[in-house]
Amino acid sequence: MKLTKKSHACVRLEKDGQSLVLDPGAFTEEDAALGADAILVTHEHPDHFDELRLRAAMEINPAAQIWTLKAVAEKLTSAFPGRVHTVGHGDTFTAAGFEVQVHGELHAVIHPDIPGSPTSATSSTAARSSTPATPSPCPSTRWRP
C-alpha cells in the first residue's frame, strides 16, 4: 500500500492498482482526486469538500464513486446517479479495495462560537491494512490506513 499526504486534510491511498482519496478540499492540489476510484468526504467545510473538483474527478473516471454524509451527497447525487453513497456513524463498506468503517458524527469544536457540524466517512474512517495508525486531520475522530 502507498500513502501520499496531499495538502491540508487530503490523503491518497493506493493498493492493488486502485486509489482512494480522502477530503480533497479547496486547500488541496487541484488534481488530488483526479483518477481516483473512490473518494471519501468527511464534511462540507470547503477545506474538505470542493464540489467542482469532485465533479471533475467523477467525470474523468466514470467508475469513480463517492462516500460522504447527506449534505454533500445531496449536491452530487443527481449528476452521478448510483455513484454517490450516503454514510454515517457505524456504517461499513468497501471502497477501492479498502474496508472502511465510519466513526463519529460531529466535527471537533474549532471555535466556541461555531457550532459543531455533521461529519462522516473520511476523517472518521478506518481503512484497514497492516500499516500503523495515523492521526486524523479532524481531531474529534480518527482513521487508520
Side-chain angles (χ1 to χ4, degrees):
M1 181 178 84
K2 179 180 178 183
L3 183 148
T4 304
K5 172 67 175 100
K6 298 291 191 175
S7 297
H8 194 61
C10 185
V11 176
R12 185 180 193 100
L13 301 171
E14 297 174 87
K15 179 176 77 169
D16 300 329
Q18 293 188 301
S19 61
L20 177 135
V21 174
L22 300 102
D23 282 349
F27 301 153
T28 302
E29 296 83 356
E30 287 188 33
D31 63 350
L34 298 182
D37 298 292
I39 302 166
L40 309 183
V41 179
T42 52
H43 59 285
E44 57 189 314
H45 288 171
D47 57 330
H48 295 256
F49 166 61
D50 184 308
E51 184 173 350
L52 295 178
R53 290 180 187 184
L54 288 182
R55 286 178 178 273
M58 296 291 279
E59 289 168 2
I60 285 173
N61 181 357
Q65 298 185 56
I66 294 174
W67 283 265
T68 188
L69 69 160
K70 183 179 177 182
V72 172
E74 287 175 342
K75 296 176 182 183
L76 298 165
T77 300
S78 64
F80 306 102
R83 296 171 58 198
V84 180
H85 312 281
T86 301
V87 295
H89 180 73
D91 290 339
T92 60
F93 57 93
T94 301
F98 291 91
E99 296 299 315
V100 181
Q101 298 175 348
V102 181
H103 299 277
E105 295 176 318
L106 289 178
H107 191 288
V109 175
I110 54 178
H111 188 277
D113 294 338
I114 300 173
S117 64
T119 187
S120 179
T122 310
S123 69
S124 50
T125 40
R128 293 186 181 175
S129 81
S130 60
T131 307
T134 303
S136 166
C138 182
S140 67
T141 55
R142 58 194 165 101
W143 63 274
R144 291 179 198 91

